[in-house]
Amino acid sequence: MKLLVVLSLVIVAIQGANVRHQRQFPDDFLFGAATAAYQIEGAWNEDGKGENIWDHMIHTNPNVIRDVTNGDVAADSYHNYKRDVEMMRELGLDAYRFSLSWPRILPTGMANEVNPAGIAFYNNYIDEMLKYNITPMVTLYHWDLPQKLQDLGGFANPLISDWFEDYARVVFENFGDRVKMFITFNEPREICYQGYGGDLKAPILNSTAMGTYLCGKHLLIAHAKAYHMYNKEFKPTQGGQCGITISVNWFGPATDSAEDQMAAEIKRQGEWGIYAHPIFSSEGGFPKEFSERVAEKSAQQGYRRSRLPEFTEEEKTLVKGASDFFGVNHYTARLVSATLYKEAVPVPSLLDDMDVGHNAPDDWATSASSWLVLAPNSIFNALKHLKERYNNPNFYVTENGWSTYYETGLMDDGRVTYYRASMESLLNCLDDGINLKGYMAWSLMDNFEWMQGYVERFGLYQVDFSDPARTRTPRKSAFVYKHIIKHRAVDYEYEPESLVMTIDEGH
Ligand SMILES: C[C@H]1O[C@@H](Oc2ccc([N+](=O)[O-])cc2)[C@H](O)[C@@H](O)[C@H]1O
């Protein structure tokens, strides 16, 4: 008998030790999921909403979208928001990141005409989340500029900073009593490089390098003005935080050679350093090596001055330090070479200015998106670099996710593998002392994936876009993510018994 008791005590002790050794996320780590207004809301012209640049571009030229669809109805979250909150509760989310449609709030873009129905919609959405203790994380701009502002030049017009500041004030006034986490812009790179410099996002201006850089400078000033206005006019009473989200994929050198190391550095600076450095570095302004590279390229091409616009000293000071946290959208990685993998690119362009090649090794798993591969420990590599370069600010991973095709259905093992790998990488960050405070999975549900329409699916929940009710059904990954959130740890043994989802007590 005695022996049995001793044995069971030993077993309990071993099990306890195992639990203790399993790496865990802290209780206050914010687990959430993310979406964006144009990708889920629909109701494109309902209740006084104004036209945005995606409405305009697609209605004018439907063929720009791979499957000739649009976001007119999308997941119809405008009418299904209560079901969306129910899904957050099913998953046990701590937080939900979503964006506001600027033209739903200000139909012309300008703050002299506020749409009460738009304000009411977001009030209801926020209140529904708060009812269940879900922290709203609100992005003010996720790519859907009011068309009327695009008609005035959009981000190429320096006045964008005044228009944005006015819009931000309306947002803080109406929602800041309950929303404590604001993100001004989602991904300056995608807005500026893909929308102004190229034709991969609305408004597809294809305006070469100059468009990319000018847009970037104006956007950073717009962000900084909104940040300082929040600090002065709202923070003292509302006590929230205001930051920005930048897409930071990892770019490591293809070899250890000095040339490849420099090529990777230039790639990092051109892809995201030009947005991060002016805000988060101690010296401010565009990063040095990239600025020198653009000046050199401009001179080679016969320009008397660099095409990279400069910040005045006043602008530099305005932008420097203007963020309470660093929002990182991280998806993937590439290996960068000074000589290999180069493709023909337009001149002048950001790609030509960087003048490097990049590649993904064959053994990195591929997704439904051409740009998205599963690279080892890449969240850690990116955040470790940012920590060292920018003095370890508070970080949130504000997007991270994996695409499948519609045909994959509910058994999305590729997404499960990706999310588990991401969790390990996040835990590596925490072990390293990186000030990482939260993680938002992209995406809560399938949605309109920009130029790819509904071909590429990122949802923890599948959405049936052929069904007028836009029924949402949890995928296997939803159960796995729920299990991770609940236990604050990754359990590789866990397999959902069925795909029937319920709400746990307390949610
Ligand atoms: C899938 C989500 O992508 C986000 O944007 C991107 C797109 C492409 C890259 N890339 O590495 O090439 C990074 C981020 C976007 O914010 C979100 O709306 C989704 O579409």
Side-chain angles (χ1 to χ4, degrees):
M1 184 65 190
K2 252 189 185 168
L3 188 66
L4 261 183
V5 172
V6 172
L7 258 180
S8 18
L9 284 175
V10 169
I11 290 169
V12 169
I14 290 171
Q15 280 172 344
N18 279 343
V19 170
R20 272 197 301 281
H21 286 137
Q22 191 179 34
R23 295 197 301 170
Q24 285 210 298
F25 291 92
D27 284 343
D28 62 355
F29 190 84
L30 223 52
F31 276 112
T35 59
Y38 184 70
Q39 295 181 275
I40 62 163
E41 276 181 13
W44 81 275
N45 60 355
E46 272 182 57
D47 296 342
K49 175 184 163 291
E51 187 186 40
N52 70 39
I53 53 176
W54 286 85
D55 298 324
H56 183 83
M57 176 185 76
I58 304 177
H59 293 158
T60 314
N61 185 4
N63 292 316
V64 295
I65 305 300
R66 182 164 163 193
D67 56 358
V68 201
T69 57
N70 56 49
D72 287 2
V73 181
D76 202 16
S77 284
Y78 190 71
H79 299 108
N80 287 316
Y81 74 88
K82 288 199 175 174
R83 169 67 182 129
D84 293 354
V85 175
E86 189 177 67
M87 284 145 47
M88 299 169 207
R89 296 170 61 208
E90 288 172 351
L91 292 171
L93 299 188
D94 306 312
Y96 179 57
R97 175 180 177 230
F98 65 104
S99 80
L100 308 175
S101 155
W102 185 342
R104 194 179 293 290
I105 293 173
L106 306 177
T108 65
M110 302 276 188
N112 53 335
E113 188 196 332
V114 180
N115 177 23
I119 300 286
F121 168 64
Y122 292 118
N123 272 333
N124 292 338
Y125 210 168
I126 291 164
D127 289 344
E128 186 72 8
M129 282 172 227
L130 291 176
K131 199 154 96 182
Y132 300 107
N133 287 324
I134 297 160
T135 300
M137 184 186 264
V138 167
T139 310
L140 277 75
Y141 185 75
H142 199 128
W143 307 356
D144 46 356
L145 193 73
Q147 180 59 34
K148 282 201 185 301
L149 298 186
Q150 191 62 51
D151 295 341
L152 300 179
F155 286 89
N157 188 334
L159 292 177
I160 189 76
S161 62
D162 294 331
W163 307 332
F164 185 74
E165 188 183 3
D166 291 347
Y167 161 55
R169 185 175 285 105
V170 172
V171 169
F172 301 148
E173 271 167 3
N174 281 280
F175 310 121
D177 57 335
R178 287 151 294 147
V179 174
K180 303 300 169 194
M181 297 204 73
F182 289 107
I183 293 170
T184 54
F185 289 100
N186 180 66
E187 298 185 348
R189 171 192 179 268
E190 279 64 27
I191 297 167
C192 296
Y193 163 62
Q194 297 193 330
Y196 284 70
D199 59 1
L200 297 172
K201 297 283 179 314
I204 51 172
L205 291 191
N206 243 337
S207 63
T208 71
M210 195 59 221
T212 306
Y213 302 143
L214 205 57
C215 166
K217 179 182 166 182
H218 295 159
L219 183 153
L220 287 169
I221 292 172
H223 159 78
K225 279 190 177 176
Y227 172 83
H228 289 296
M229 181 266 289
Y230 181 76
N231 261 0
K232 189 163 161 237
E233 298 176 26
F234 296 94
K235 201 171 191 164
T237 50
Q238 297 184 349
Q241 299 182 55
C242 182
I244 188 167
T245 279
I246 299 173
S247 55
V248 180
N249 287 324
W250 177 242
F251 298 102
T255 71
D256 285 341
S257 74
E259 292 75 22
D260 284 358
Q261 304 263 13
M262 179 48 88
E265 178 60 28
I266 290 288
K267 181 79 174 161
R268 293 190 290 262
Q269 293 188 5
E271 292 280 335
W272 38 261
I274 52 175
Y275 312 108
H277 207 82
I279 301 175
F280 295 101
S281 72
S282 53
E283 68 267 23
F286 289 124
K288 183 169 162 284
E289 291 81 358
F290 183 76
S291 303
E292 287 169 2
R293 173 71 64 100
V294 180
E296 204 179 292
K297 276 277 183 178
S298 306
Q300 277 168 13
Q301 290 159 10
Y303 294 100
R304 185 156 164 259
R305 288 174 184 274
S306 172
R307 54 180 153 258
L308 192 66
E310 283 175 13
F311 289 100
T312 63
E313 282 309 311
E314 200 186 331
E315 288 167 342
K316 247 191 209 175
T317 308
L318 180 83
V319 174
K320 198 170 68 173
S323 200
D324 294 329
F325 57 86
F326 194 144
V328 170
N329 285 356
H330 177 89
Y331 283 89
T332 194
R334 292 289 185 277
L335 300 180
V336 185
S337 165
T339 49
L340 303 175
Y341 325 125
K342 286 188 175 179
E343 289 168 4
V345 294
V347 179
S349 67
L350 169 69
L351 291 180
D352 180 59
D353 282 345
M354 290 190 289
D355 197 12
V356 299
H358 62 81
N359 181 40
D362 290 343
D363 58 344
W364 291 2
T366 54
S367 69
S369 308
S370 57
W371 51 273
L372 178 53
V373 292
L374 171 48
N377 208 15
S378 66
I379 298 181
F380 174 77
N381 289 333
L383 291 194
K384 171 95 172 158
H385 178 89
L386 295 179
K387 170 196 174 192
E388 282 163 7
R389 187 135 303 188
Y390 301 130
N391 198 24
N392 206 5
N394 282 342
F395 291 103
Y396 290 88
V397 172
T398 43
E399 278 182 35
N400 177 251
W402 187 253
S403 60
T404 51
Y405 293 107
Y406 167 71
E407 292 74 18
T408 304
L410 300 177
M411 298 306 286
D412 55 342
D413 290 286
R415 183 170 291 109
V416 168
T417 303
Y418 181 89
Y419 276 131
R420 282 178 170 158
S422 289
M423 294 302 130
E424 295 296 346
S425 208
L426 295 174
L427 287 163
N428 292 341
C429 293
L430 295 173
D431 284 351
D432 189 76
I434 294 168
N435 285 326
L436 176 60
K437 304 294 177 191
Y439 171 90
M440 305 294 127
W442 183 273
S443 175
L444 178 62
M445 70 193 107
D446 287 346
N447 54 59
F448 180 76
E449 181 45 30
W450 310 111
M451 298 312 223
Q452 306 306 319
Y454 299 101
V455 175
E456 298 175 10
R457 304 295 184 94
F458 278 87
L460 291 161
Y461 282 71
Q462 175 179 275
V463 176
D464 183 352
F465 293 102
S466 63
D467 171 5
R470 297 298 194 266
T471 307
R472 288 111 156 97
T473 312
R475 291 199 168 98
K476 179 177 174 181
S477 57
F479 293 85
V480 171
Y481 190 43
K482 175 179 179 160
H483 195 267
I484 289 167
I485 297 173
K486 187 171 174 183
H487 298 277
R488 308 259 139 193
V490 191
D491 175 0
Y492 289 89
E493 305 292 304
Y494 172 72
E495 279 283 322
E497 279 166 22
S498 76
L499 295 191
V500 177
M501 188 61 104
T502 51
I503 298 174
D504 285 356
E505 216 176 298
H507 294 278

